[in-house]
Amino acid sequence: MSQSDLPRPRPRRRRPLRTAAGLLVLFALIGYFAVQYDSTVGGGGAPHCTARVGPRDSYDMSPEQAANAATIAAVGVAKGLPDRAVTIALATAMQESALRNLDHGDRDSLGLFQQRPSQGWGTPQQIMDPVYSAGIFYERLVEVKGWARLPLTEAAQQVQLSGFPQAYAKHEPDAAVVTGALAGDGELSCGGPAPTGPGDPEKVRAELNRIFGKDGLHTAPKEPTAGAAAGRPVKEAEVTLVEKRDGGERAARGSRAMAGWAVANARGMNIARVSYAWRGWIAGEAKGQWQQKGGRGAKSGDGDPHNAEYDEVRIFVAR
């Protein structure tokens, strides 16, 4: 057999291009999921909010998610409903929309709770309004017989009629933390820059009046030294909205919900400062944490001029 008759070896397949392409796809997927994670928890230094109850329990949210969660909680508190109702509502919205006000969904589902106009939840415009959608969720929840004693997933399912009735349960621990932060003894902190433009105090007032259904907010006198004392431009503290309620746990709960709402919506409404009782929050400072400013009953000069007779919320809108 001559050399030419011998079978020629098959050429080796070159794989570098395929390998490189596979690595690019892998890195793209890693990048995609990293972005999704970052957008969910506010990582990488981006503006974000954290609900905390006690030293260990916390839940991270984007500013959008926090604003929606705060609205859901505020509507429940304004209706005089207990924490259990707020937790059920928050867990439902976490499952249905990840606390985002979606303009799409399965069939004609919309909004935070993925409510359907064709099923009598309201018009698309109404459902896309977080105040309305939270309000009608609570209305239908309290119509469920014994809702407060039912397991969370069962109570939510009787309102939602979901195709995945067990899905709500996994959100209960996080929803309870957010409830505690917005209506209980926890706190909501939101990091991010200070306002760079003016806010609209009338818009803030109108939205809070719409949620709480009252006219207790009023514009307080200017505080010409408030900005200078903290090293900030005075213009950031020229407009103050003040809400006062005579004591009692229900009043305190409402004020806590209002303060949490203001912090959660600070980025979207250019709110510069919020204070409640003897504590204060300042946009762009202290990593978004609440700071203690004097004690309960502190007089002006020792901290915020609040006393034990009032659960007072003060909202300073940039101007």
Side-chain angles (χ1 to χ4, degrees):
M1 181 179 293
S2 68
Q3 185 72 20
S4 62
D5 293 329
L6 293 174
R8 295 181 180 180
R10 298 178 66 183
R12 295 180 60 188
R13 294 180 179 177
R14 299 182 180 273
R15 299 184 180 272
L17 290 177
R18 292 185 180 182
T19 302
L23 288 173
L24 286 174
V25 172
L26 177 61
F27 290 146
L29 287 172
I30 292 173
Y32 169 79
F33 286 112
V35 169
Q36 295 302 308
Y37 177 80
D38 184 71
S39 68
T40 300
V41 303
H48 68 283
C49 299
T50 301
R52 289 188 178 87
V53 176
R56 296 182 180 179
D57 296 325
S58 65
Y59 182 72
D60 293 323
M61 296 173 281
S62 70
E64 175 195 5
Q65 291 171 315
N68 289 327
T71 296
I72 291 170
V75 171
V77 170
K79 288 181 173 292
L81 295 172
D83 285 357
R84 181 63 175 169
V86 176
T87 299
I88 293 170
L90 286 169
T92 302
M94 287 176 177
Q95 170 60 28
E96 297 291 353
S97 67
L99 292 172
R100 295 171 298 162
N101 198 23
L102 301 176
D103 62 359
H104 60 276
D106 178 44
R107 288 169 283 189
D108 58 339
S109 298
L110 295 169
L112 289 171
F113 297 91
Q114 289 292 279
Q115 295 157 338
R116 299 179 59 191
S118 63
Q119 301 300 309
W121 285 95
T123 67
Q125 292 75 18
Q126 288 175 318
I127 292 171
M128 289 299 296
D129 173 8
V131 176
Y132 171 88
S133 62
I136 195 168
F137 177 88
Y138 286 121
E139 288 175 12
R140 296 199 177 182
L141 175 65
V142 298
E143 291 174 354
V144 175
K145 184 176 181 179
W147 66 268
R149 298 186 299 274
L150 294 175
L152 183 145
T153 192
E154 186 174 340
Q157 171 62 7
Q158 291 205 33
V159 176
Q160 296 292 108
L161 302 177
S162 169
F164 304 94
Q166 298 304 317
Y168 304 108
K170 64 178 178 286
H171 299 289
E172 183 168 3
D174 292 333
V177 170
V178 178
T179 299
L182 292 167
D185 294 328
E187 71 174 29
L188 178 75
S189 61
C190 287
T196 57
D200 184 348
E202 293 306 317
K203 182 178 179 180
V204 175
R205 183 206 315 277
E207 194 67 6
L208 287 171
N209 283 340
R210 200 162 68 94
I211 293 171
F212 289 92
K214 62 180 191 60
D215 57 358
L217 282 167
H218 63 277
T219 301
K222 295 180 181 179
E223 295 185 352
T225 62
R232 298 184 308 280
V234 175
K235 66 179 183 180
E236 290 190 358
E238 285 186 348
V239 178
T240 306
L241 300 178
V242 179
E243 188 271 352
K244 286 187 177 182
R245 305 186 205 194
D246 293 316
E249 178 54 31
R250 180 169 180 175
R253 191 165 171 262
S255 293
R256 288 194 294 267
M258 183 177 289
W261 181 93
V263 170
N265 284 275
R267 188 164 177 255
M269 292 192 167
N270 285 336
I271 293 172
R273 292 194 288 145
V274 181
S275 68
Y276 164 60
W278 65 99
R279 308 178 70 212
W281 176 89
I282 301 173
E285 295 189 14
K287 298 182 179 180
Q289 305 291 320
W290 283 81
Q291 302 297 303
Q292 188 155 325
K293 303 173 72 174
R296 186 181 290 270
K299 298 179 181 178
S300 181
D302 298 328
D304 281 351
H306 302 166
N307 58 62
E309 295 179 2
Y310 293 101
D311 291 300
E312 179 181 271
V313 179
R314 298 169 69 87
I315 302 170
F316 298 73
V317 181
R319 189 173 187 177

